[in-house]
Amino acid sequence: MDNELLFIICQAGSQSFIYKTSLMDLSPDLSPRLGIATRLKPHYIVHGDDHGPRHFFLSGSELYAVSFLKDGMYVLNLDTRCEHLDPLARRPVSSVDPFIMVIQVGRATLALTETLQVYRKAHLVCPPRSSSWVRCMTDHSQIPDRKVKLSGYVVVSDNSFTVCDTLTCSCLHFNLDAKKWHVVMPWAPWGEYPPRDMSSYRFLNGRCVFVDGFIYTCSGKGLAAYELLYEDNCVYLDIPIYLPLSWESEMWRTERMCLDYAGKDVNSGAILFWVVQGLQMKYRDPQNKLWITAVEVEVEKTPRKSMKPVGIRHVVSATRLIDQQETMDQKEVISTRCCAVSF
């Protein structure tokens, strides 16, 4: 496994709690059998006063936090736990068109607004370690002129990403080099008609992962994989391949799940993922819990040289209590996001 360390980010009120665990920490022990879950203490807490969620993205060993509502950017080194605030990271957008996503695409840090305007983080010469958001002049001629409601997103290369609009159940693809948007079309083999109704597919949920030609996302009570194809300057998405998590099947809820890439098995080539879910407690129990599991997806090569998923199996899992003592008025985790870091 390449990314054996897992950092889990939970938002509670105006604070973001960052927890650290690893594959070794999830090794089977006696505590689950005794009904006792191990407690995770925050590795770091990002404080704020905007009472709103943040965008988090990873670059190397540094975790960046961007507020939905305010200027400025927190930068946290996960090795040293040193933090600094970049107050000059101002956005030239109004509150009616806020940032809805911030991601790392290759070496570029990009932000997206509701009207699909793309902004790139540019470094300033003075003062040192400061930055600003600069709007990219993009071609919107191939997509409708309207706002989107983002359900999920994924980086698919060093110069492109794909987002999913929940209002139309459609995906949109952006190429950073060409500065152009494309509507992702449903794929059909030569001589066959593409599916007419794509709205039955849930498409992308939250931050997704692109590996060997397929987009992986949380879906239903497991994962779903969509093959992404390029032909004649068009972008296509194939029908989903569902990979249900058969263990603890009643526990999984798509809206509370998050996914991250953990590496590959060097012998079989199987893909390893982290899957994390915040467990909603009854009667506003002050003990918040996380369900953390590692899964292995078996793959086989297709004629198009992509690696098609053909099965999934459980590797290890554990329930962990999470400590949020500094937010005594918040008894419920608002959202859970995860990212894995390789050292």
Side-chain angles (χ1 to χ4, degrees):
M1 180 180 280
D2 298 331
N3 297 346
E4 293 191 1
L5 286 180
L6 178 69
F7 290 89
I8 304 167
I9 304 162
C10 296
Q11 184 78 20
S14 62
Q15 296 174 315
S16 300
F17 293 79
I18 302 171
Y19 303 93
K20 177 182 177 181
T21 189
S22 68
L23 187 64
M24 292 295 295
D25 294 337
L26 302 184
S27 298
D29 53 39
L30 293 177
S31 57
R33 302 176 191 175
L34 299 175
I36 303 172
T38 303
R39 181 180 297 277
L40 287 179
K41 291 188 176 294
H43 181 71
Y44 199 84
I45 302 174
V46 179
H47 299 276
D49 58 3
D50 55 4
H51 293 280
R54 297 177 178 86
H55 305 282
F56 285 88
F57 65 93
L58 194 67
S59 179
S61 61
E62 291 186 323
L63 185 67
Y64 294 77
V66 181
S67 170
F68 275 54
L69 306 175
K70 287 189 171 184
D71 291 331
M73 180 186 303
Y74 284 95
V75 184
L76 171 64
N77 188 301
L78 295 174
D79 287 329
T80 63
R81 288 195 280 188
C82 292
E83 172 196 350
H84 76 270
L85 173 65
D86 179 1
L88 297 181
R90 297 189 176 94
R91 63 197 71 188
V93 293
S94 66
S95 60
V96 298
D97 193 23
F99 287 168
I100 58 173
M101 179 190 77
V102 180
I103 55 173
Q104 189 76 17
V105 181
R107 300 180 65 180
T109 301
L110 304 178
L112 185 70
T113 72
E114 290 181 328
T115 58
L116 297 178
Q117 302 300 321
V118 180
Y119 289 81
R120 185 168 186 163
K121 185 169 75 73
H123 296 283
L124 301 178
V125 176
C126 185
R129 303 185 72 185
S130 62
S131 58
S132 182
W133 293 100
V134 178
R135 181 178 171 182
C136 300
M137 302 307 296
T138 57
D139 183 352
H140 287 67
S141 62
Q142 302 296 317
I143 61 173
D145 183 15
R146 55 170 175 74
K147 290 186 177 182
V148 298
K149 184 176 181 181
L150 203 67
S151 69
Y153 58 94
V154 60
V155 176
V156 296
S157 73
D158 286 341
N159 65 355
S160 62
F161 64 88
T162 298
V163 299
C164 184
D165 177 21
T166 191
L167 297 177
T168 59
C169 292
S170 61
C171 289
L172 305 170
H173 183 83
F174 182 75
N175 185 290
L176 181 60
D177 291 341
K179 304 292 191 299
K180 188 172 184 178
W181 284 98
H182 291 273
V183 176
V184 180
M185 306 296 291
W187 171 259
W190 179 258
E192 297 183 13
Y193 290 103
R196 293 184 178 180
D197 183 13
M198 298 292 286
S199 62
S200 60
Y201 304 133
R202 296 187 179 181
F203 285 122
L204 309 185
N205 177 64
R207 188 169 67 88
C208 306
V209 179
F210 182 77
V211 187
D212 294 336
F214 281 80
I215 298 173
Y216 290 85
T217 184
C218 299
S219 179
K221 296 184 183 298
L223 307 183
Y226 298 85
E227 187 174 9
L228 192 69
L229 305 109
Y230 301 89
E231 188 171 300
D232 298 331
N233 295 319
C234 294
V235 186
Y236 298 91
L237 204 63
D238 206 349
I239 60 175
I241 299 172
Y242 291 108
L243 303 164
L245 305 181
S246 57
W247 56 97
E248 304 288 347
S249 59
E250 296 304 316
M251 182 180 294
W252 300 109
R253 297 291 183 271
T254 305
E255 66 277 7
R256 298 204 298 271
M257 295 169 64
C258 57
L259 175 71
D260 205 354
Y261 176 74
K264 290 184 179 180
D265 187 292
V266 294
N267 297 316
S268 67
I271 305 169
L272 300 167
F273 293 102
W274 292 106
V275 183
V276 180
Q277 176 174 291
L279 302 182
Q280 187 172 358
M281 309 308 295
K282 296 181 180 179
Y283 311 115
R284 297 180 64 82
D285 191 317
Q287 298 289 341
N288 293 310
K289 293 183 179 180
L290 291 173
W291 176 252
I292 308 169
T293 187
V295 300
E296 184 178 82
V297 175
E298 300 172 350
V299 295
E300 64 180 19
K301 186 173 290 187
T302 70
R304 292 187 287 266
K305 308 300 182 183
S306 58
M307 301 302 292
K308 177 181 177 181
V310 294
I312 189 170
R313 75 173 187 88
H314 169 258
V315 176
V316 66
S317 58
T319 301
R320 294 291 182 259
L321 297 175
I322 53 176
D323 192 348
Q324 293 177 319
Q325 294 180 356
E326 295 195 23
T327 311
M328 300 304 294
D329 60 332
Q330 292 290 337
K331 303 300 184 182
E332 182 178 356
V333 174
I334 297 175
S335 63
T336 303
R337 307 171 192 176
C338 62
C339 60
V341 182
S342 177
F343 290 92

